[in-house]
Amino acid sequence: MGKVKSFTILYDRAVDNNVPMYTSGECLSGRIVLEVEAQIEVKALKIHAKGQAYVHWTESNYNSDISDDYTQQIRYFKQKDLLIGIDGSEQITVIPPGRHEYPFSLMLPQIPLPASFKGVHGNVSYWMTAKLHRPWKLRSKVKEMFTVYEQIDINTPLLLSPQTATDETTVCCCCCASGPISLNAKILRKGYVSGESIEIFAEIENHSSRIVVPKAAIFKTHIFHAEGEKKKDRDLVTKLKGEPVLAGKTETWNGMQLEIPQMPPTLMNCSIIQVEYLLRVYVDIPKALMLNVDFPIVIGTIPLHSFNNQATNFNTQYGMNYNP
């Protein structure tokens, strides 16, 4: 970099070197810090902030030795500013030795931006780039990421609505059908935040000749879209196991609690990447297909008004990325 000793981007919200966090419509502000050992000439100091979603994966093509690539990209914004110089001008600015700071301020779009995300096959990323142009020199460039988060308020009628589901199956024993096994389940709402517990109400009627076990689990699914195709990754987040239900008996869950661990919120407002959560209540039946009911749930950032918000601070929970 010649006589340039350091060239950095400092965000106003950055604390202890953590990546700063913003939401749609907020002001992205900070300083470009330029430290030079001796006088330099500068044509321009340019900055731009970008936001985009990017998806890519490769699949083997069994009909040939060439793999199929799937790529999709969406740009949400590109904001530019000129801190030194004039567009289209060859005017030279002389920078004396020492440390110099150039403040910047850019407004993020008002449209709902998807939250920052990093997954196996794609990401939602936001960053700022600063470029220093000097006569007869290669340009100097620096890039710093920032995080965008989305406020998801679970205190909405849709997310506060209860969900119910039921299913039934009949298993065979020595070529003869035994009595049915039925599952009726209910949860009080669709929206939750990390640190809460989901109260599960269920009734398991076992009219078969087998011992069955009721269980519940939360699954996280990443869905990536590119060129008309999609790729899914599903992971088990947490689960619980109830008491065995003997043949001819009935078991009731009257508010069985399944704790939600710390995890990223549901990803919204992105057409090529989704992060979805599912609560599955099921009955494990030996030597038979599992009996289950599924409840889509939304993990938000603004908790229920009556819920103790001791562990839902977004900065504390998620830091700079959303690694699966």
Side-chain angles (χ1 to χ4, degrees), residues 7-28:
F7 184 38
T8 56
I9 300 172
L10 297 180
Y11 295 109
D12 287 341
R13 290 191 181 179
V15 178
D16 297 330
N17 294 321
N18 290 328
V19 176
M21 311 190 72
Y22 300 87
T23 191
S24 300
E26 288 192 325
C27 179
L28 177 70

Side-chain angles (χ1 to χ4, degrees), residues 134-206:
R134 293 185 288 166
W136 311 109
K137 297 281 187 180
L138 294 175
R139 70 181 183 185
S140 301
K141 179 179 177 180
V142 62
K143 176 180 176 181
E144 289 290 344
M145 308 298 293
F146 61 92
T147 294
V148 168
Y149 68 95
E150 183 179 7
Q151 294 283 23
I152 304 175
D153 189 353
I154 70 169
N155 297 279
T156 62
L158 176 63
L159 299 186
L160 292 178
S161 300
Q163 299 189 81
T164 60
T166 183
D167 200 3
E168 182 179 287
T169 189
T170 300
V171 296
C172 296
C173 181
C174 299
C175 300
C176 298
S178 64
I181 303 170
S182 64
L183 168 64
N184 294 278
K186 173 183 178 180
I187 58 175
L188 300 180
R189 48 192 161 95
K190 186 177 181 179
Y192 299 87
V193 296
S194 294
E196 276 193 275
S197 292
I198 303 176
E199 289 187 305
I200 305 171
F201 299 83
E203 184 177 74
I204 302 95
E205 295 184 6
N206 182 14

Side-chain angles (χ1 to χ4, degrees), residues 46-57:
K46 301 177 180 179
I47 62 169
H48 68 250
K50 283 185 180 180
Q52 72 172 29
Y54 175 80
V55 168
H56 175 263
W57 75 85

Side-chain angles (χ1 to χ4, degrees), residues 96-126:
R99 175 187 170 97
H100 307 273
E101 296 189 2
Y102 302 92
F104 63 83
S105 179
L106 299 172
M107 294 299 297
L108 296 179
Q110 292 286 346
I111 61 171
L113 295 171
S116 298
F117 168 82
K118 184 177 181 181
V120 176
H121 304 295
N123 60 75
V124 180
S125 302
Y126 300 91

